Amino acid sequence: MFKYFDLLKEIDEFERRGVEVGSIGNSTLGFDTPYIFIGDKSKNCIVVTGAIHAREHITALLVVNQAKHLLKNADLTLLGGIYFIPMVNVDGVRLCQEGVGFLTDKQLKKNLIKINGGTDFSLWKANIAGVDLNVNFDARWGQGKSNVFYKAPANYVGKKPNSEVETKNLVRFTRTVNPLSTVSYHCKGEVIFWRFFQKDKRTLWQHYCLAKSLSQATGYRLIATEAGSCGGYKDWCIDRLGIPAFTVEVGSDKFTHPYPYDQFEDIYNKNIDVPRRLLNTVCREKERASQNGSKDKDDETGLIPSEKSFR
């Protein structure tokens, strides 16, 4: 099991090797939320996140290993930089893995046990305040089919959009680094969500092409529905920043939560090079657009599909 203090050890090792590391801000309980930057700071970037849902902490291990892969293989082409944020919901992950034992506030312990309906927090998704961070962003907030309006292990939207410290941190950080695209890792289902009410047909086509490239890289199925969830980080990036953004659900549905770590190798093999390929593709598309305005010409990496595949 990959824990918060395992992440801190990895961050220390990255720093020891000269890699830029830092924090996007403190969590509700005051813990650092680390990031790792790999690549060229003077060029374009993307953002990759993991573990915004507490029980999906296996995605934090994936995001760390994606960064390590690039560090180890410095000869790979990287046309910009990638900000890796392995564990957005650090408080929630600790609660999920450790229970309330690490908390010092007795009333908070009681409240959390009451919200959870017991002391087993292994299926907890929310932050330490009982807010599901991936429905807390200001993107059609509160309109998701599964949303609830009371503190819960999952699906509580919070008192208002961007109400949570962790949400605010990620919004501020994303606006600061101004990425061309973002990838949010979740678990499970082996699907990729890419659509969120994009109205312009050209934008819709561009986002679809990138989603198709991720599908080809991972073998995961694309889902274009907009009806299910709202208020996620991917949704906010599309709606507020106007950039392509993706929720990638790793891991087969045949396994239950908490997702077994003995299946990590399969997740790793399917996703290890996704950030680099996405960065290079969006950078090439930006450059191509600036040169001749072409948006649908095949990418030289073979990632961009032909228009006839669009549905």
Side-chain angles (χ1 to χ4, degrees):
M1 188 180 294
F2 190 72
K3 298 183 177 182
Y4 177 61
F5 292 103
D6 295 324
L7 172 59
L8 295 185
K9 290 177 182 177
E10 295 283 3
I11 294 296
D12 287 343
E13 180 61 19
F14 276 109
E15 187 172 29
R16 188 187 68 79
R17 297 182 64 178
V19 175
E20 178 187 331
V21 298
S23 174
I24 71 167
N26 291 337
S27 69
T28 300
L29 293 179
F31 295 108
D32 280 334
T33 307
Y35 75 82
I36 305 155
F37 179 82
I38 303 287
D40 188 340
K41 203 67 175 290
S42 66
K43 296 184 179 180
N44 297 303
C45 71
I46 65 170
V47 171
V48 179
T49 67
I52 198 169
H53 282 149
R55 73 183 185 187
E56 297 163 22
H57 42 81
I58 195 170
T59 62
L61 180 60
L62 172 63
V63 174
V64 165
N65 275 277
Q66 288 173 327
K68 291 168 77 171
H69 170 72
L70 292 179
L71 183 61
K72 182 179 179 181
N73 297 279
D75 58 326
L76 292 173
T77 301
L78 201 62
L79 299 180
I82 304 173
Y83 289 94
F84 296 94
I85 310 171
M87 195 178 289
V88 174
N89 185 8
V90 298
D91 296 346
V93 169
R94 290 201 66 184
L95 179 65
C96 176
Q97 295 176 340
E98 303 174 41
V100 296
F102 76 100
L103 299 171
T104 57
D105 187 321
K106 292 182 180 180
Q107 189 58 51
L108 178 58
K109 289 182 180 182
K110 290 180 181 179
N111 291 343
L112 286 168
I113 291 171
K114 183 178 180 180
I115 292 168
N116 190 52
T119 57
D120 181 358
F121 287 85
S122 61
L123 300 183
W124 184 271
K125 294 174 70 176
N127 73 348
I128 204 70
V131 176
D132 187 328
L133 298 175
N134 209 48
V135 293
N136 186 238
F137 290 84
D138 189 11
R140 302 201 179 207
W141 176 84
Q143 298 180 33
K145 285 186 176 180
S146 300
N147 289 168
V148 299
F149 297 86
Y150 50 85
K151 293 183 177 182
N155 300 320
Y156 173 44
V157 298
K159 292 182 179 180
K160 60 181 180 180
N162 299 344
S163 63
E164 301 309 291
V165 170
E166 294 85 357
T167 311
K168 289 184 175 76
N169 288 343
L170 190 51
V171 164
R172 181 177 60 250
F173 184 82
T174 305
R175 286 194 181 279
T176 298
V177 303
N178 192 29
L180 293 181
S181 183
T182 66
V183 178
S184 306
Y185 274 105
H186 288 251
C187 182
K188 57 189 176 65
E190 296 193 325
V191 295
I192 299 169
F193 295 92
W194 65 277
R195 194 164 178 173
F196 192 74
F197 301 97
Q198 298 97 319
K199 297 184 185 298
D200 179 74
K201 289 184 178 179
R202 193 173 191 179
T203 298
L204 189 65
W205 167 241
Q206 291 168 347
H207 292 194
Y208 167 77
C209 285
L210 289 169
K212 188 68 175 177
S213 76
L214 297 185
S215 176
Q216 291 170 344
T218 60
Y220 296 170
R221 179 169 56 95
L222 294 184
I223 295 191
T225 180
E226 298 160 320
S229 180
C230 295
Y233 178 58
K234 176 266 292 181
D235 307 332
W236 178 81
C237 289
I238 294 171
D239 190 59
R240 297 294 175 168
L241 302 184
I243 61 174
F246 309 96
T247 295
V248 179
E249 298 273 1
V250 304
S252 171
D253 263 334
K254 71 181 181 180
F255 298 102
T256 59
H257 285 298
Y259 202 81
Y261 273 72
D262 62 8
Q263 297 301 309
F264 178 73
E265 184 176 358
D266 179 65
I267 292 172
Y268 175 93
N269 289 334
K270 291 175 178 176
N271 289 274
I272 192 59
D273 203 34
V274 163
R276 185 186 72 89
R277 294 177 64 164
L278 176 62
L279 172 67
N280 289 351
T281 302
V282 293
C283 287
R284 288 181 177 123
E285 287 300 296
K286 183 180 178 181
E287 177 65 21
R288 187 174 292 127
S290 67
Q291 290 177 350
N292 55 32
S294 174
K295 296 294 185 177
D296 57 1
K297 184 180 178 183
D298 284 353
D299 181 89
E300 65 183 80
T301 61
L303 294 177
I304 298 297
S306 61
E307 188 165 358
K308 66 182 179 181
S309 65
F310 180 64
R311 298 291 183 270

